[in-house]
Amino acid sequence: MVKPGQPRPRRPQGRWSPVQLSPVILTVVIAGLAYATPPDMAFSRILPAAPALAAAMWPVLPTVLLGTVCFLLMVGLSLVFPGLGAWYTVAGIVAVTVAAAYGSHVRLQREQSLFQVRLVADAAQQVVLSPMPRRFGAVEIESLYLAAAAEARIGGDFYEVADTPYGVRLLIGDVRGKGLPAVGTAAAVVNSFREAAYDEPDLAGIARRLEASSTRYNSAFSPDDLAERFSTAVLVEIPHEDNSVRILNCGHPPPLLLNRDGVRVLSPTDPSPLLNLASLIGDCYSTDTFAFTPADQLLLYTDGVTEARDRTGAFFPLTDWMRRRTAPQRPRELLDGLHRDLLTYSNGGLDDDIAALAVGFRNGPDSGHGPAGREEH
């Protein structure tokens, strides 16, 4: 039962759909057949199916009212056809209506519980994932997020964007695992980035802050599975009034840069350690710098995109897909197309969290392509 003051699930507005009216339609059809056919065909015996169907989609009171209508119809049939033996069916209608009313009550309680869970998940999503789109001068950013745990609405993939004195900084990453168990780690990393992005002069400093936050959060868990509790991440910096993109990759799928010459995979020269594993494999962070032109598109994504499979088990060919984006597109158009084609490719069977950020450069400086340098810290 919904308590006073609690938010309630939204009810559909306007006219009822044919599906919602199907218990009434079923009742009318059965009653019509019972009156129009010989008594020995006994169509009236399936009248209890109407309140049983109503319990799956109606509240308690309408379900009971429909059961009452069926009860009265059966009484009327017994008067029209005295030898019908309708009293057994009448008793069945009463029993099914009582059971249907209870089933409707239980269903409404579960719907309310699910509604409360979704409210909590929505609140968590607003904490972990910033609203998009964002535009900072010539930089336009859009996002795509699909959680594998559909009812949870949020999973282990994360992203964040910040406009700092050092430039526009982006984070995208993936916590090992999916669903609500990964949300805590994602929140710890994102919250750390929100502070470090404004304080640290370089991406290596941000990465060390993220590593420290991830380590502190995971210290509450058993040390036996430390190697299994890690995150991958990509840090991106787009300096103000510059024609470069700086990228620090902590074991994450490399970003893709779409320009007039084609698609370039921005792989790291030297990989940086995964978050929460620097103490095991070292904390040497490497930042690569790439150039761009005003019409370039940068795509950041998690492995849920590249690991989407078709019916034959083949992975989604993201690089080839990007290469076919010939006409200049806004970031929103790029992500909408990616979302649509992922669903088509996997036949709607996406089974991993998916996050993506599309970055467009508008009215920015023009320059050539290729790496402009590399920094080590």
Side-chain angles (χ1 to χ4, degrees), residues 165-180:
Y166 310 101
V168 178
R169 287 174 165 177
L170 302 88
L171 165 71
I172 190 168
D174 183 4
V175 179
R176 185 183 184 276
K178 58 187 177 182
L180 292 177

Side-chain angles (χ1 to χ4, degrees), residues 174-332:
D174 183 4
V175 179
R176 185 183 184 276
K178 58 187 177 182
L180 292 177
V183 173
T185 301
V189 172
V190 169
N191 288 332
S192 177
F193 173 82
R194 287 168 178 160
E195 295 295 328
Y198 293 91
D199 298 337
E200 298 294 336
D202 55 51
L203 296 182
I206 299 176
R208 290 189 175 91
R209 293 271 291 271
L210 301 186
E211 168 70 20
S213 296
S214 180
T215 301
R216 282 195 300 269
Y217 177 82
N218 287 289
S219 64
F221 301 94
S222 171
D224 296 335
D225 61 349
L226 176 62
E228 298 297 322
R229 304 188 64 86
F230 61 85
S231 306
T232 64
V234 166
L235 290 166
V236 177
E237 180 179 278
I238 306 170
H240 298 302
E241 305 299 331
D242 199 351
N243 61 344
S244 64
V245 176
R246 297 176 186 141
I247 299 177
L248 189 154
N249 194 321
C250 297
H252 197 77
L256 299 179
L257 181 65
L258 176 64
N259 55 37
R260 59 192 171 204
D261 294 332
V263 175
R264 183 173 184 183
V265 180
L266 304 184
S267 300
T269 305
D270 291 319
S272 300
L274 282 68
L275 301 182
N276 202 44
L277 295 183
S279 61
L280 300 178
I281 60 178
D283 65 345
C284 181
Y285 296 96
S286 175
T287 300
D288 294 283
T289 303
F290 304 89
F292 67 88
T293 64
D296 287 353
Q297 293 273 359
L298 181 66
L299 180 66
L300 312 174
Y301 57 94
T302 58
D303 59 8
V305 175
T306 53
E307 293 180 1
R309 297 173 182 263
D310 62 10
R311 293 180 178 178
T312 67
F315 291 122
F316 182 73
L318 180 61
T319 303
D320 292 338
W321 180 88
M322 279 284 286
R323 192 171 288 115
R324 294 194 295 270
R325 308 302 102 186
T326 53
Q329 291 182 307
R330 301 293 293 271
R332 184 73 268 157

Side-chain angles (χ1 to χ4, degrees), residues 34-37 39 72-87:
Y35 276 107
T37 58
L72 296 176
L73 284 173
M74 200 62 223
V75 171
L77 285 171
S78 68
L79 297 176
V80 175
F81 305 105
L84 190 61
W87 299 110

Side-chain angles (χ1 to χ4, degrees), residues 113-142:
S113 297
L114 179 58
F115 179 68
Q116 296 290 349
V117 169
R118 286 178 171 172
L119 286 179
V120 173
D122 286 342
Q125 187 178 48
Q126 293 175 9
V127 170
V128 178
L129 305 178
S130 292
M132 294 287 176
R134 298 267 191 103
R135 181 155 186 171
F136 308 101
V139 181
E140 183 180 0
I141 304 171
E142 291 275 4

